Amino acid sequence: MKLINKTTRSFLFACLIATVIGGILCYIFLRKVLDDEVTEQLLLQKMKIEKQVLRNGQLPDNFLSLIDSIWIQPASRPIAELIKDTTFYASAEHELLDCRQISFGIQTDKGYFKVNIRKTLYESDELMIALFIVFTGVMLLLVSMLFFVNYRVSRRIWQPFYETLNLLQTFKITQKESLAFHTTDIQEFQTLQKNLSALTEQVRREYQSLKSFTENASHELQTPLAVIGSNLELLLQDNNLTEAQMQQMGYLIEYLGKLSKLNQTLLLLTKIENRQFDTAQSLDFSACLQDKLNLLDVWIQHKNLQVNTSIQPQVTLQINEFLADVLLNNLLSNAIKYNLQEGEIVIELTWNFLLIKNKGVRPTIPTEQLFERFKKDSAHAESMGLGLALVKQICDTYHFEVTYLYKNGWHIVTVNF
């Protein structure tokens, strides 16, 4: 959810709560005011009757001019004043109506009487409903206006922030130009843009420095390794060497080859991590897989392996051609190298996944650890422990999901596109 939508939703929620609470408090307040007004009118009518009796000694003859509804009952003694809410049946409306009634005693020349005065409450209820409708309408209009104004103002205020986010999404570590942020008069956004500019500049400088180091290391290390290898091969041709010396020279050449391969693999991993293989193309992965199988056919025949393939034609991926070759080479080489003699390889390729499985002995470490650098099965000491780490790095670069499973004597590697 966008920040502006979340703040606007919170603002709207707060306004609705305030409206509901305000409506309830307003209702309670108006109800109290109207109830007090009805009670006051009843007491006023009582006072009029008492003044009339005090002046004439008799009850008024024309009650309708004084009150809405009244009836008088003879009493044998003084009656205490009582105010209560009750109902009565109105014959004109054919319904029960709520009313407030006051009962009190009064003494005239003719003795004691009980006077009952009542006043209907439907007028106050209608007034309450009308006021509530008006209040609701006004509040809804006010909330709507505040919501609209808040949304527009927030959108304008946060616009530099969203422009900064969009600019960061297009930023590439390999670009030479600095980020050009839109100007803003908001101090917080100015600070953010300033810090982001400094951070991206530092990242670009460190990337260029690391890139230069890997390129220089690749060149500077390969040259002496090649020179050492050439000289060792020349020494092997010396007829004066003993058999033990020749054996030691062979070991040195073998380890030198491993060192050269290790150097190339580590440099390749560093280049992939630094996004130095940005160029991707629409690649016929099916054809690449078939070509790689043809190149490895001699090795497959040497181990007398049975290969069963199910390759869907023209499976296309957006991937760097060199990295696709490295990915297939590592997966197929592992399937051949760590297979049993006269074993079996199953290869399946669809638009959704690549599956390669081979027969082999159970790994001595958890399979999920084989994707870590220099993690290798102790049964294969000659391995450098970088092949599957390289596969994992390539898959992460293109957001592929790679899994390794050992089940029923099968090593199963699946790459989900």
Side-chain angles (χ1 to χ4, degrees), residues 55-77:
R55 184 169 55 248
N56 300 328
Q58 297 181 358
L59 291 170
D61 296 328
N62 188 3
F63 297 114
L64 295 179
S65 62
L66 296 174
I67 50 182
D68 294 336
S69 180
I70 184 173
W71 69 98
I72 299 175
Q73 299 171 327
S76 59
R77 56 184 176 80

mmCIF file with all atom_site columns, all heavy atoms in Angstrom, residues 55-77:
data_model
loop_
_atom_site.group_PDB
_atom_site.id
_atom_site.type_symbol
_atom_site.label_atom_id
_atom_site.label_alt_id
_atom_site.label_comp_id
_atom_site.label_asym_id
_atom_site.label_entity_id
_atom_site.label_seq_id
_atom_site.pdbx_PDB_ins_code
_atom_site.Cartn_x
_atom_site.Cartn_y
_atom_site.Cartn_z
_atom_site.occupancy
_atom_site.B_iso_or_equiv
_atom_site.pdbx_formal_charge
_atom_site.auth_seq_id
_atom_site.auth_comp_id
_atom_site.auth_asym_id
_atom_site.auth_atom_id
_atom_site.pdbx_PDB_model_num
ATOM 1   N N   . ARG A 1 55 ? -55.122 33.369 43.197 1.00 0.00 ? 55 ARG A N   1
ATOM 2   C CA  . ARG A 1 55 ? -55.811 34.643 42.967 1.00 0.00 ? 55 ARG A CA  1
ATOM 3   C C   . ARG A 1 55 ? -57.326 34.499 43.129 1.00 0.00 ? 55 ARG A C   1
ATOM 4   O O   . ARG A 1 55 ? -57.975 35.365 43.707 1.00 0.00 ? 55 ARG A O   1
ATOM 5   C CB  . ARG A 1 55 ? -55.485 35.124 41.552 1.00 0.00 ? 55 ARG A CB  1
ATOM 6   C CG  . ARG A 1 55 ? -56.085 36.499 41.251 1.00 0.00 ? 55 ARG A CG  1
ATOM 7   C CD  . ARG A 1 55 ? -55.541 37.082 39.952 1.00 0.00 ? 55 ARG A CD  1
ATOM 8   N NE  . ARG A 1 55 ? -55.721 36.188 38.827 1.00 0.00 ? 55 ARG A NE  1
ATOM 9   C CZ  . ARG A 1 55 ? -54.745 35.566 38.178 1.00 0.00 ? 55 ARG A CZ  1
ATOM 10  N NH1 . ARG A 1 55 ? -53.483 35.702 38.598 1.00 0.00 ? 55 ARG A NH1 1
ATOM 11  N NH2 . ARG A 1 55 ? -54.992 34.777 37.156 1.00 0.00 ? 55 ARG A NH2 1
ATOM 12  N N   . ASN A 1 56 ? -57.903 33.390 42.655 1.00 0.00 ? 56 ASN A N   1
ATOM 13  C CA  . ASN A 1 56 ? -59.365 33.247 42.668 1.00 0.00 ? 56 ASN A CA  1
ATOM 14  C C   . ASN A 1 56 ? -59.856 32.215 43.661 1.00 0.00 ? 56 ASN A C   1
ATOM 15  O O   . ASN A 1 56 ? -61.061 32.136 43.941 1.00 0.00 ? 56 ASN A O   1
ATOM 16  C CB  . ASN A 1 56 ? -59.880 32.860 41.272 1.00 0.00 ? 56 ASN A CB  1
ATOM 17  C CG  . ASN A 1 56 ? -59.529 33.898 40.229 1.00 0.00 ? 56 ASN A CG  1
ATOM 18  O OD1 . ASN A 1 56 ? -59.461 35.091 40.555 1.00 0.00 ? 56 ASN A OD1 1
ATOM 19  N ND2 . ASN A 1 56 ? -59.317 33.469 38.994 1.00 0.00 ? 56 ASN A ND2 1
ATOM 20  N N   . GLY A 1 57 ? -58.960 31.386 44.149 1.00 0.00 ? 57 GLY A N   1
ATOM 21  C CA  . GLY A 1 57 ? -59.368 30.325 45.073 1.00 0.00 ? 57 GLY A CA  1
ATOM 22  C C   . GLY A 1 57 ? -60.009 29.165 44.372 1.00 0.00 ? 57 GLY A C   1
ATOM 23  O O   . GLY A 1 57 ? -60.515 28.255 45.034 1.00 0.00 ? 57 GLY A O   1
ATOM 24  N N   . GLN A 1 58 ? -60.033 29.183 43.047 1.00 0.00 ? 58 GLN A N   1
ATOM 25  C CA  . GLN A 1 58 ? -60.646 28.114 42.276 1.00 0.00 ? 58 GLN A CA  1
ATOM 26  C C   . GLN A 1 58 ? -59.737 27.749 41.095 1.00 0.00 ? 58 GLN A C   1
ATOM 27  O O   . GLN A 1 58 ? -58.909 28.559 40.638 1.00 0.00 ? 58 GLN A O   1
ATOM 28  C CB  . GLN A 1 58 ? -62.024 28.558 41.740 1.00 0.00 ? 58 GLN A CB  1
ATOM 29  C CG  . GLN A 1 58 ? -63.034 28.852 42.834 1.00 0.00 ? 58 GLN A CG  1
ATOM 30  C CD  . GLN A 1 58 ? -64.392 29.268 42.265 1.00 0.00 ? 58 GLN A CD  1
ATOM 31  O OE1 . GLN A 1 58 ? -64.545 29.358 41.047 1.00 0.00 ? 58 GLN A OE1 1
ATOM 32  N NE2 . GLN A 1 58 ? -65.352 29.529 43.147 1.00 0.00 ? 58 GLN A NE2 1
ATOM 33  N N   . LEU A 1 59 ? -59.951 26.542 40.595 1.00 0.00 ? 59 LEU A N   1
ATOM 34  C CA  . LEU A 1 59 ? -59.209 26.103 39.405 1.00 0.00 ? 59 LEU A CA  1
ATOM 35  C C   . LEU A 1 59 ? -59.717 26.856 38.188 1.00 0.00 ? 59 LEU A C   1
ATOM 36  O O   . LEU A 1 59 ? -60.898 27.223 38.128 1.00 0.00 ? 59 LEU A O   1
ATOM 37  C CB  . LEU A 1 59 ? -59.377 24.602 39.200 1.00 0.00 ? 59 LEU A CB  1
ATOM 38  C CG  . LEU A 1 59 ? -58.697 23.702 40.256 1.00 0.00 ? 59 LEU A CG  1
ATOM 39  C CD1 . LEU A 1 59 ? -59.148 22.264 40.087 1.00 0.00 ? 59 LEU A CD1 1
ATOM 40  C CD2 . LEU A 1 59 ? -57.175 23.806 40.117 1.00 0.00 ? 59 LEU A CD2 1
ATOM 41  N N   . PRO A 1 60 ? -58.821 27.067 37.169 1.00 0.00 ? 60 PRO A N   1
ATOM 42  C CA  . PRO A 1 60 ? -59.276 27.768 35.972 1.00 0.00 ? 60 PRO A CA  1
ATOM 43  C C   . PRO A 1 60 ? -60.344 26.961 35.242 1.00 0.00 ? 60 PRO A C   1
ATOM 44  O O   . PRO A 1 60 ? -60.312 25.734 35.234 1.00 0.00 ? 60 PRO A O   1
ATOM 45  C CB  . PRO A 1 60 ? -58.017 27.929 35.127 1.00 0.00 ? 60 PRO A CB  1
ATOM 46  C CG  . PRO A 1 60 ? -56.959 27.127 35.780 1.00 0.00 ? 60 PRO A CG  1
ATOM 47  C CD  . PRO A 1 60 ? -57.417 26.717 37.128 1.00 0.00 ? 60 PRO A CD  1
ATOM 48  N N   . ASP A 1 61 ? -61.281 27.677 34.609 1.00 0.00 ? 61 ASP A N   1
ATOM 49  C CA  . ASP A 1 61 ? -62.340 27.006 33.856 1.00 0.00 ? 61 ASP A CA  1
ATOM 50  C C   . ASP A 1 61 ? -61.848 26.561 32.482 1.00 0.00 ? 61 ASP A C   1
ATOM 51  O O   . ASP A 1 61 ? -62.227 25.498 31.985 1.00 0.00 ? 61 ASP A O   1
ATOM 52  C CB  . ASP A 1 61 ? -63.545 27.950 33.709 1.00 0.00 ? 61 ASP A CB  1
ATOM 53  C CG  . ASP A 1 61 ? -64.170 28.287 35.062 1.00 0.00 ? 61 ASP A CG  1
ATOM 54  O OD1 . ASP A 1 61 ? -64.104 27.387 35.943 1.00 0.00 ? 61 ASP A OD1 1
ATOM 55  O OD2 . ASP A 1 61 ? -64.675 29.401 35.224 1.00 0.00 ? 61 ASP A OD2 1
ATOM 56  N N   . ASN A 1 62 ? -61.036 27.384 31.804 1.00 0.00 ? 62 ASN A N   1
ATOM 57  C CA  . ASN A 1 62 ? -60.591 27.091 30.444 1.00 0.00 ? 62 ASN A CA  1
ATOM 58  C C   . ASN A 1 62 ? -59.171 26.508 30.502 1.00 0.00 ? 62 ASN A C   1
ATOM 59  O O   . ASN A 1 62 ? -58.190 27.237 30.461 1.00 0.00 ? 62 ASN A O   1
ATOM 60  C CB  . ASN A 1 62 ? -60.601 28.362 29.591 1.00 0.00 ? 62 ASN A CB  1
ATOM 61  C CG  . ASN A 1 62 ? -60.339 28.041 28.121 1.00 0.00 ? 62 ASN A CG  1
ATOM 62  O OD1 . ASN A 1 62 ? -60.201 26.865 27.761 1.00 0.00 ? 62 ASN A OD1 1
ATOM 63  N ND2 . ASN A 1 62 ? -60.274 29.071 27.306 1.00 0.00 ? 62 ASN A ND2 1
ATOM 64  N N   . PHE A 1 63 ? -59.093 25.178 30.599 1.00 0.00 ? 63 PHE A N   1
ATOM 65  C CA  . PHE A 1 63 ? -57.779 24.535 30.688 1.00 0.00 ? 63 PHE A CA  1
ATOM 66  C C   . PHE A 1 63 ? -57.031 24.574 29.364 1.00 0.00 ? 63 PHE A C   1
ATOM 67  O O   . PHE A 1 63 ? -55.812 24.636 29.332 1.00 0.00 ? 63 PHE A O   1
ATOM 68  C CB  . PHE A 1 63 ? -57.944 23.078 31.145 1.00 0.00 ? 63 PHE A CB  1
ATOM 69  C CG  . PHE A 1 63 ? -58.538 22.951 32.508 1.00 0.00 ? 63 PHE A CG  1
ATOM 70  C CD1 . PHE A 1 63 ? -59.786 22.386 32.683 1.00 0.00 ? 63 PHE A CD1 1
ATOM 71  C CD2 . PHE A 1 63 ? -57.853 23.430 33.618 1.00 0.00 ? 63 PHE A CD2 1
ATOM 72  C CE1 . PHE A 1 63 ? -60.328 22.276 33.949 1.00 0.00 ? 63 PHE A CE1 1
ATOM 73  C CE2 . PHE A 1 63 ? -58.416 23.329 34.883 1.00 0.00 ? 63 PHE A CE2 1
ATOM 74  C CZ  . PHE A 1 63 ? -59.651 22.745 35.049 1.00 0.00 ? 63 PHE A CZ  1
ATOM 75  N N   . LEU A 1 64 ? -57.767 24.556 28.232 1.00 0.00 ? 64 LEU A N   1
ATOM 76  C CA  . LEU A 1 64 ? -57.114 24.480 26.915 1.00 0.00 ? 64 LEU A CA  1
ATOM 77  C C   . LEU A 1 64 ? -56.294 25.717 26.623 1.00 0.00 ? 64 LEU A C   1
ATOM 78  O O   . LEU A 1 64 ? -55.331 25.664 25.853 1.00 0.00 ? 64 LEU A O   1
ATOM 79  C CB  . LEU A 1 64 ? -58.160 24.270 25.823 1.00 0.00 ? 64 LEU A CB  1
ATOM 80  C CG  . LEU A 1 64 ? -58.925 22.928 25.894 1.00 0.00 ? 64 LEU A CG  1
ATOM 81  C CD1 . LEU A 1 64 ? -59.956 22.865 24.770 1.00 0.00 ? 64 LEU A CD1 1
ATOM 82  C CD2 . LEU A 1 64 ? -57.970 21.756 25.812 1.00 0.00 ? 64 LEU A CD2 1
ATOM 83  N N   . SER A 1 65 ? -56.651 26.823 27.227 1.00 0.00 ? 65 SER A N   1
ATOM 84  C CA  . SER A 1 65 ? -55.869 28.035 26.975 1.00 0.00 ? 65 SER A CA  1
ATOM 85  C C   . SER A 1 65 ? -54.575 28.032 27.766 1.00 0.00 ? 65 SER A C   1
ATOM 86  O O   . SER A 1 65 ? -53.693 28.844 27.523 1.00 0.00 ? 65 SER A O   1
ATOM 87  C CB  . SER A 1 65 ? -56.703 29.272 27.344 1.00 0.00 ? 65 SER A CB  1
ATOM 88  O OG  . SER A 1 65 ? -57.002 29.240 28.733 1.00 0.00 ? 65 SER A OG  1
ATOM 89  N N   . LEU A 1 66 ? -54.505 27.128 28.757 1.00 0.00 ? 66 LEU A N   1
ATOM 90  C CA  . LEU A 1 66 ? -53.319 27.101 29.607 1.00 0.00 ? 66 LEU A CA  1
ATOM 91  C C   . LEU A 1 66 ? -52.386 25.937 29.278 1.00 0.00 ? 66 LEU A C   1
ATOM 92  O O   . LEU A 1 66 ? -51.172 26.074 29.339 1.00 0.00 ? 66 LEU A O   1
ATOM 93  C CB  . LEU A 1 66 ? -53.735 26.998 31.077 1.00 0.00 ? 66 LEU A CB  1
ATOM 94  C CG  . LEU A 1 66 ? -54.526 28.194 31.620 1.00 0.00 ? 66 LEU A CG  1
ATOM 95  C CD1 . LEU A 1 66 ? -54.988 27.893 33.043 1.00 0.00 ? 66 LEU A CD1 1
ATOM 96  C CD2 . LEU A 1 66 ? -53.695 29.460 31.572 1.00 0.00 ? 66 LEU A CD2 1
ATOM 97  N N   . ILE A 1 67 ? -52.935 24.803 28.924 1.00 0.00 ? 67 ILE A N   1
ATOM 98  C CA  . ILE A 1 67 ? -52.139 23.592 28.823 1.00 0.00 ? 67 ILE A CA  1
ATOM 99  C C   . ILE A 1 67 ? -52.594 22.748 27.662 1.00 0.00 ? 67 ILE A C   1
ATOM 100 O O   . ILE A 1 67 ? -53.647 22.981 27.067 1.00 0.00 ? 67 ILE A O   1
ATOM 101 C CB  . ILE A 1 67 ? -52.248 22.788 30.123 1.00 0.00 ? 67 ILE A CB  1
ATOM 102 C CG1 . ILE A 1 67 ? -53.728 22.644 30.490 1.00 0.00 ? 67 ILE A CG1 1
ATOM 103 C CG2 . ILE A 1 67 ? -51.467 23.425 31.241 1.00 0.00 ? 67 ILE A CG2 1
ATOM 104 C CD1 . ILE A 1 67 ? -53.963 21.910 31.769 1.00 0.00 ? 67 ILE A CD1 1
ATOM 105 N N   . ASP A 1 68 ? -51.775 21.724 27.333 1.00 0.00 ? 68 ASP A N   1
ATOM 106 C CA  . ASP A 1 68 ? -52.122 20.806 26.243 1.00 0.00 ? 68 ASP A CA  1
ATOM 107 C C   . ASP A 1 68 ? -53.106 19.736 26.697 1.00 0.00 ? 68 ASP A C   1
ATOM 108 O O   . ASP A 1 68 ? -54.045 19.410 25.988 1.00 0.00 ? 68 ASP A O   1
ATOM 109 C CB  . ASP A 1 68 ? -50.859 20.134 25.707 1.00 0.00 ? 68 ASP A CB  1
ATOM 110 C CG  . ASP A 1 68 ? -49.932 21.137 25.038 1.00 0.00 ? 68 ASP A CG  1
ATOM 111 O OD1 . ASP A 1 68 ? -50.441 22.169 24.600 1.00 0.00 ? 68 ASP A OD1 1
ATOM 112 O OD2 . ASP A 1 68 ? -48.707 20.871 24.962 1.00 0.00 ? 68 ASP A OD2 1
ATOM 113 N N   . SER A 1 69 ? -52.862 19.163 27.845 1.00 0.00 ? 69 SER A N   1
ATOM 114 C CA  . SER A 1 69 ? -53.717 18.071 28.321 1.00 0.00 ? 69 SER A CA  1
ATOM 115 C C   . SER A 1 69 ? -53.717 18.106 29.839 1.00 0.00 ? 69 SER A C   1
ATOM 116 O O   . SER A 1 69 ? -52.653 18.161 30.466 1.00 0.00 ? 69 SER A O   1
ATOM 117 C CB  . SER A 1 69 ? -53.182 16.733 27.812 1.00 0.00 ? 69 SER A CB  1
ATOM 118 O OG  . SER A 1 69 ? -53.986 15.670 28.266 1.00 0.00 ? 69 SER A OG  1
ATOM 119 N N   . ILE A 1 70 ? -54.920 18.079 30.443 1.00 0.00 ? 70 ILE A N   1
ATOM 120 C CA  . ILE A 1 70 ? -55.027 18.181 31.896 1.00 0.00 ? 70 ILE A CA  1
ATOM 121 C C   . ILE A 1 70 ? -56.279 17.443 32.360 1.00 0.00 ? 70 ILE A C   1
ATOM 122 O O   . ILE A 1 70 ? -57.278 17.392 31.647 1.00 0.00 ? 70 ILE A O   1
ATOM 123 C CB  . ILE A 1 70 ? -55.079 19.657 32.346 1.00 0.00 ? 70 ILE A CB  1
ATOM 124 C CG1 . ILE A 1 70 ? -55.085 19.746 33.869 1.00 0.00 ? 70 ILE A CG1 1
ATOM 125 C CG2 . ILE A 1 70 ? -56.257 20.379 31.749 1.00 0.00 ? 70 ILE A CG2 1
ATOM 126 C CD1 . ILE A 1 70 ? -54.962 21.159 34.384 1.00 0.00 ? 70 ILE A CD1 1
ATOM 127 N N   . TRP A 1 71 ? -56.179 16.837 33.487 1.00 0.00 ? 71 TRP A N   1
ATOM 128 C CA  . TRP A 1 71 ? -57.368 16.315 34.148 1.00 0.00 ? 71 TRP A CA  1
ATOM 129 C C   . TRP A 1 71 ? -57.164 16.421 35.655 1.00 0.00 ? 71 TRP A C   1
ATOM 130 O O   . TRP A 1 71 ? -56.044 16.370 36.145 1.00 0.00 ? 71 TRP A O   1
ATOM 131 C CB  . TRP A 1 71 ? -57.696 14.882 33.704 1.00 0.00 ? 71 TRP A CB  1
ATOM 132 C CG  . TRP A 1 71 ? -56.738 13.818 34.163 1.00 0.00 ? 71 TRP A CG  1
ATOM 133 C CD1 . TRP A 1 71 ? -56.894 13.013 35.226 1.00 0.00 ? 71 TRP A CD1 1
ATOM 134 C CD2 . TRP A 1 71 ? -55.496 13.454 33.547 1.00 0.00 ? 71 TRP A CD2 1
ATOM 135 N NE1 . TRP A 1 71 ? -55.860 12.164 35.355 1.00 0.00 ? 71 TRP A NE1 1
ATOM 136 C CE2 . TRP A 1 71 ? -54.961 12.398 34.299 1.00 0.00 ? 71 TRP A CE2 1
ATOM 137 C CE3 . TRP A 1 71 ? -54.806 13.907 32.423 1.00 0.00 ? 71 TRP A CE3 1
ATOM 138 C CZ2 . TRP A 1 71 ? -53.761 11.806 33.998 1.00 0.00 ? 71 TRP A CZ2 1
ATOM 139 C CZ3 . TRP A 1 71 ? -53.618 13.305 32.109 1.00 0.00 ? 71 TRP A CZ3 1
ATOM 140 C CH2 . TRP A 1 71 ? -53.084 12.268 32.882 1.00 0.00 ? 71 TRP A CH2 1
ATOM 141 N N   . ILE A 1 72 ? -58.309 16.603 36.325 1.00 0.00 ? 72 ILE A N   1
ATOM 142 C CA  . ILE A 1 72 ? -58.281 16.897 37.762 1.00 0.00 ? 72 ILE A CA  1
ATOM 143 C C   . ILE A 1 72 ? -59.078 15.837 38.498 1.00 0.00 ? 72 ILE A C   1
ATOM 144 O O   . ILE A 1 72 ? -60.157 15.437 38.051 1.00 0.00 ? 72 ILE A O   1
ATOM 145 C CB  . ILE A 1 72 ? -58.870 18.293 38.063 1.00 0.00 ? 72 ILE A CB  1
ATOM 146 C CG1 . ILE A 1 72 ? -58.047 19.357 37.351 1.00 0.00 ? 72 ILE A CG1 1
ATOM 147 C CG2 . ILE A 1 72 ? -58.895 18.561 39.565 1.00 0.00 ? 72 ILE A CG2 1
ATOM 148 C CD1 . ILE A 1 72 ? -58.609 20.753 37.492 1.00 0.00 ? 72 ILE A CD1 1
ATOM 149 N N   . GLN A 1 73 ? -58.537 15.400 39.606 1.00 0.00 ? 73 GLN A N   1
ATOM 150 C CA  . GLN A 1 73 ? -59.193 14.395 40.432 1.00 0.00 ? 73 GLN A CA  1
ATOM 151 C C   . GLN A 1 73 ? -59.337 14.937 41.868 1.00 0.00 ? 73 GLN A C   1
ATOM 152 O O   . GLN A 1 73 ? -58.394 15.533 42.393 1.00 0.00 ? 73 GLN A O   1
ATOM 153 C CB  . GLN A 1 73 ? -58.359 13.091 40.461 1.00 0.00 ? 73 GLN A CB  1
ATOM 154 C CG  . GLN A 1 73 ? -58.193 12.464 39.082 1.00 0.00 ? 73 GLN A CG  1
ATOM 155 C CD  . GLN A 1 73 ? -57.181 11.322 39.112 1.00 0.00 ? 73 GLN A CD  1
ATOM 156 O OE1 . GLN A 1 73 ? -56.229 11.396 39.885 1.00 0.00 ? 73 GLN A OE1 1
ATOM 157 N NE2 . GLN A 1 73 ? -57.432 10.302 38.290 1.00 0.00 ? 73 GLN A NE2 1
ATOM 158 N N   . PRO A 1 74 ? -60.497 14.751 42.501 1.00 0.00 ? 74 PRO A N   1
ATOM 159 C CA  . PRO A 1 74 ? -60.637 15.163 43.907 1.00 0.00 ? 74 PRO A CA  1
ATOM 160 C C   . PRO A 1 74 ? -59.705 14.352 44.791 1.00 0.00 ? 74 PRO A C   1
ATOM 161 O O   . PRO A 1 74 ? -59.428 13.175 44.518 1.00 0.00 ? 74 PRO A O   1
ATOM 162 C CB  . PRO A 1 74 ? -62.102 14.856 44.219 1.00 0.00 ? 74 PRO A CB  1
ATOM 163 C CG  . PRO A 1 74 ? -62.768 14.784 42.883 1.00 0.00 ? 74 PRO A CG  1
ATOM 164 C CD  . PRO A 1 74 ? -61.764 14.261 41.919 1.00 0.00 ? 74 PRO A CD  1
ATOM 165 N N   . ALA A 1 75 ? -59.191 14.958 45.813 1.00 0.00 ? 75 ALA A N   1
ATOM 166 C CA  . ALA A 1 75 ? -58.287 14.285 46.739 1.00 0.00 ? 75 ALA A CA  1
ATOM 167 C C   . ALA A 1 75 ? -58.676 14.606 48.165 1.00 0.00 ? 75 ALA A C   1
ATOM 168 O O   . ALA A 1 75 ? -59.259 15.666 48.450 1.00 0.00 ? 75 ALA A O   1
ATOM 169 C CB  . ALA A 1 75 ? -56.847 14.715 46.481 1.00 0.00 ? 75 ALA A CB  1
ATOM 170 N N   . SER A 1 76 ? -58.382 13.688 49.058 1.00 0.00 ? 76 SER A N   1
ATOM 171 C CA  . SER A 1 76 ? -58.747 13.874 50.460 1.00 0.00 ? 76 SER A CA  1
ATOM 172 C C   . SER A 1 76 ? -57.614 14.470 51.288 1.00 0.00 ? 76 SER A C   1
ATOM 173 O O   . SER A 1 76 ? -57.807 14.826 52.433 1.00 0.00 ? 76 SER A O   1
ATOM 174 C CB  . SER A 1 76 ? -59.165 12.513 51.068 1.00 0.00 ? 76 SER A CB  1
ATOM 175 O OG  . SER A 1 76 ? -58.084 11.591 50.953 1.00 0.00 ? 76 SER A OG  1
ATOM 176 N N   . ARG A 1 77 ? -56.442 14.574 50.654 1.00 0.00 ? 77 ARG A N   1
ATOM 177 C CA  . ARG A 1 77 ? -55.271 15.071 51.377 1.00 0.00 ? 77 ARG A CA  1
ATOM 178 C C   . ARG A 1 77 ? -54.317 15.702 50.367 1.00 0.00 ? 77 ARG A C   1
ATOM 179 O O   . ARG A 1 77 ? -54.466 15.548 49.162 1.00 0.00 ? 77 ARG A O   1
ATOM 180 C CB  . ARG A 1 77 ? -54.593 13.929 52.110 1.00 0.00 ? 77 ARG A CB  1
ATOM 181 C CG  . ARG A 1 77 ? -54.205 12.778 51.192 1.00 0.00 ? 77 ARG A CG  1
ATOM 182 C CD  . ARG A 1 77 ? -53.605 11.611 51.967 1.00 0.00 ? 77 ARG A CD  1
ATOM 183 N NE  . ARG A 1 77 ? -53.329 10.497 51.087 1.00 0.00 ? 77 ARG A NE  1
ATOM 184 C CZ  . ARG A 1 77 ? -52.279 10.380 50.295 1.00 0.00 ? 77 ARG A CZ  1
ATOM 185 N NH1 . ARG A 1 77 ? -51.373 11.353 50.271 1.00 0.00 ? 77 ARG A NH1 1
ATOM 186 N NH2 . ARG A 1 77 ? -52.109 9.315  49.547 1.00 0.00 ? 77 ARG A NH2 1
#
